[in-house]
Amino acid sequence: MSNFKLVLLKDIADSQTGPFGSQLHQSDYVSEGTPMVTVEHLGVERFTHQNLPFVSDKDRDRLSKYILREGDIVFSRVGSVDRCTYVTKEEDGWMFSGRCIRVRSNENANGRYLNFYFRQDTFKKMMLDISVGATMPSLNTKLMDNIPLRLPNIKTQQKIARVLSDLDAKIELNNKINAELEAMAKTLYDYWFVQFDFPFDFAQGKPNENGKPYKTSGGKMVWNKKLKREIPEGWEVDTLSSFINNDKSGDWGKEQEEGNYNQRVYCVRGADINGLNGKGELKTPERYILEKNLFKTLDPYDLIVEISGGSPVQSTGRLAYITEETLDRFDAPIICSNFCKAVTLKSKYYFYNFVFQWNSIYDAGVLFGYEGKTSGIKNLLFESFVSSHYTAIPPIELAEKFYDIMKPIQIKKEKNLKENQELASLRDWLLPMLMNGQVSVGGHVVKDSELGMVADSVELYNKQ
């Protein structure tokens, strides 16, 4: 620890509160201009880019001191004051709101290093401890300026930041690959099952991968009264419930092994659905359930539907889907919580078709119309919805061809997600030890080709 020096944040960085309401009000936001980061857009590793407000060029020039630069770190000033996000090149030039505090390092500190330093659990706890406010935690620049930090010299900071950043870079690369795979899959689904231009052999009268686009090539379409639109001739129409064979109730069990509660499982909550789908970190809690309840564990091709939760702008009904590769990401069986419902389909060949169809329904906001409330909590009226929502059902031959295309895509996605879990675990294991000097970084520079084997490529040694 002799190479570490105790400093205050103000010695190595400048902290700045965003513009207050008297300077910039929500009514001043415009539809186009400079994006404005609010507390809602702070993520674990990256900013959330959805639903960003914008600031006019005039207000941007007037409030130029609130412009973000690459390397800045943005904290939540109120509420979850332990949340912070690093500004990448993509967000350079954006602005931050009055509910945020920006930290900008000087020549005595490396911004990426500070970003990782601030992600330590011990630092997050300290932020909550020093916050003020009787009803809601809050920070100010005076509190920020006097935060004590124990830092190594700038060169060591740069080396540590490089190691941890390489791990994050590989995770980000896998996420981008998965996003491209998802976009390809969605395009194919829309082409086949929304535009009805699936490949069709008109001579043989059946789907064929070498056939022509059905609708564009003059395939016969018939009007359906229930759907109030045309669908391909020969397609059936039924409710979503016709796909479903059975459901499995949720469980919660015990936090620790206790008596007959001795079967270790992972319990998927509504909060875990995005992570399970690869949209953020997955922190599914370990629980212990009764042996007689092991029938509730999930199998390949099961679906998890969020039944309770949501928000005023987000309906219940988010969906996660389970494959063999999904289960490989866990070292114990998985179940869903009591606030979710697990569903098993009659045929696995309609699995991906059902997933894309459900997500399209969810994205269109349809499920807002099928919600009830219990004690202020929104509940999805699942049975009511699936038994009343009619849909076009493609022939099994076409569903099988779509399944055969989707399966290797999903295998690749799940492989990337499993690798991301391993990389994140390695990063989180290294983080506190690098920050407190238990582990040091040698002189080896990690090359892009070595990103998948960072642990082997970086010379690390334990300080005795």
Side-chain angles (χ1 to χ4, degrees):
M1 296 291 288
S2 59
N3 293 326
F4 284 69
K5 182 180 179 181
L6 185 63
V7 299
L8 298 179
L9 182 65
K10 64 183 177 182
D11 297 326
I12 52 92
D14 171 65
S15 58
Q16 171 71 57
T17 302
F20 290 99
S22 58
Q23 297 173 285
L24 185 71
H25 193 268
Q26 286 188 0
S27 59
D28 296 320
Y29 291 154
V30 294
S31 58
E32 293 183 1
T34 300
M36 168 71 79
V37 170
T38 69
V39 170
E40 289 75 17
H41 300 101
L42 300 185
V44 176
E45 296 168 12
R46 296 290 302 273
F47 288 102
T48 300
H49 289 200
Q50 285 79 27
N51 302 316
L52 285 162
F54 294 90
V55 176
S56 68
D57 291 344
K58 181 179 178 181
D59 283 333
R60 182 183 191 274
D61 293 340
R62 178 172 62 87
L63 302 169
S64 59
K65 71 176 182 178
Y66 303 113
I67 295 175
L68 295 170
R69 297 300 179 204
E70 181 180 3
D72 289 347
I73 301 167
V74 181
F75 279 84
S76 172
R77 188 178 63 81
V78 293
S80 301
V81 296
D82 58 334
R83 291 172 59 193
C84 66
T85 307
Y86 182 80
V87 178
T88 68
K89 185 177 182 179
E90 189 174 359
E91 294 95 20
D92 186 282
W94 289 15
M95 302 184 72
F96 63 104
S97 75
R99 293 170 65 84
C100 299
I101 293 181
R102 181 209 65 206
V103 172
R104 178 173 293 170
S105 60
N106 59 31
E107 67 280 1
N108 296 314
N110 178 276
R112 284 194 176 276
Y113 176 88
L114 290 181
N115 173 50
F116 289 111
Y117 190 101
F118 296 154
R119 282 158 65 171
Q120 297 179 91
D121 290 338
T122 51
F123 181 85
K124 291 180 178 181
K125 182 179 184 304
M126 182 187 70
M127 293 295 284
L128 292 169
D129 289 343
I130 68 169
S131 62
V132 296
T135 57
M136 181 180 291
S138 64
L139 297 172
N140 54 54
T141 54
K142 184 176 180 180
L143 288 171
M144 293 291 292
D145 286 346
N146 289 290
I147 291 175
L149 309 172
R150 188 177 291 276
L151 306 181
N153 61 55
I154 188 68
K155 288 186 178 181
T156 301
Q157 290 181 38
Q158 292 167 347
K159 290 178 181 179
I160 291 174
R162 177 63 190 271
V163 171
L164 297 174
S165 294
D166 282 342
L167 289 165
D168 275 354
K170 176 56 177 172
I171 292 172
E172 182 63 20
L173 176 61
N174 283 343
N175 287 336
K176 288 181 178 179
I177 291 172
N178 279 5
E180 292 174 1
L181 291 172
E182 288 174 9
M184 290 168 50
K186 179 65 165 60
T187 297
L188 185 63
Y189 170 80
D190 289 343
Y191 196 58
W192 284 22
F193 301 107
V194 178
Q195 302 175 38
F196 303 122
D197 269 333
F198 50 90
F200 192 80
D201 188 326
F202 287 90
Q204 297 185 17
K206 62 180 181 180
N208 187 304
E209 58 268 19
N210 298 317
K212 297 180 180 180
Y214 182 83
K215 186 175 180 181
T216 301
S217 301
K220 186 175 181 180
M221 304 290 290
V222 296
W223 179 260
N224 184 270
K225 292 182 179 180
K226 281 191 173 68
L227 300 181
K228 297 180 181 179
R229 62 186 174 97
E230 288 186 329
I231 61 173
E233 183 181 40
W235 284 35
E236 297 181 4
V237 172
D238 208 336
T239 61
L240 288 174
S241 61
S242 66
F243 287 101
I244 299 172
N245 185 57
N246 62 277
D247 58 40
K248 300 175 183 177
S249 59
D251 203 337
W252 188 235
K254 302 287 185 179
E255 184 176 358
Q256 311 237 341
E257 189 171 353
E258 180 182 320
N260 291 329
Y261 289 86
N262 54 19
Q263 302 297 311
R264 188 170 74 95
V265 296
Y266 288 94
C267 188
V268 178
R269 307 157 299 176
D272 302 310
I273 285 180
N274 285 345
L276 199 60
N277 290 335
K279 311 294 184 184
E281 288 190 282
L282 180 61
K283 296 184 177 180
T284 309
E286 290 186 32
R287 307 290 294 184
Y288 290 85
I289 65 172
L290 298 169
E291 185 176 2
K292 69 176 184 179
N293 287 339
L294 284 176
F295 73 92
K296 298 180 180 180
T297 58
L298 304 184
D299 299 309
Y301 307 110
D302 281 347
L303 304 165
I304 303 174
V305 181
E306 176 192 34
I307 298 299
S308 298
S311 72
V313 296
Q314 174 185 294
S315 74
T316 52
R318 287 181 296 170
L319 180 78
Y321 47 102
I322 308 300
T323 65
E324 292 176 4
E325 291 72 30
T326 308
L327 298 177
D328 286 343
R329 291 161 60 189
F330 299 86
D331 61 3
I334 63 174
I335 61 171
C336 65
S337 75
N338 295 318
F339 293 101
C340 296
K341 179 187 289 289
V343 174
T344 304
L345 302 183
K346 294 176 181 176
S347 170
K348 71 176 184 179
Y349 294 115
Y350 284 104
F351 180 70
Y352 293 108
N353 188 280
F354 187 95
V355 167
F356 279 104
Q357 186 168 185
W358 184 279
N359 286 338
S360 295
I361 292 168
Y362 178 86
D363 291 341
V366 174
L367 298 182
F368 277 113
Y370 291 85
E371 291 182 330
K373 280 191 175 182
T374 303
S375 301
I377 300 175
K378 296 199 301 179
N379 295 298
L380 177 65
L381 305 176
F382 180 81
E383 299 297 340
S384 175
F385 173 66
V386 298
S387 62
S388 63
H389 187 89
Y390 283 86
T391 185
I393 301 177
I396 186 65
E397 297 87 357
L398 184 59
E400 286 182 17
K401 293 184 183 302
F402 187 66
Y403 170 88
D404 289 340
I405 294 173
M406 290 299 110
K407 185 174 181 178
I409 292 176
Q410 188 62 27
I411 289 174
K412 174 60 177 174
K413 285 172 54 183
E414 292 287 353
K415 179 182 176 183
N416 288 340
L417 292 176
K418 184 175 182 180
E419 183 177 36
N420 280 359
Q421 285 182 205
E422 294 168 351
L423 291 168
S425 178
L426 173 61
R427 179 200 62 206
D428 295 343
W429 175 75
L430 285 172
L431 180 59
M433 293 193 292
L434 286 168
M435 293 300 165
N436 63 28
Q438 284 181 288
V439 171
S440 295
V441 183
H444 180 73
V445 176
V446 183
K447 300 176 182 177
D448 290 343
S449 60
E450 301 173 316
L451 283 174
M453 307 205 42
V454 176
D456 298 326
S457 302
V458 180
E459 180 189 345
L460 300 172
Y461 62 91
N462 288 320
K463 287 241 178 173
Q464 302 298 328

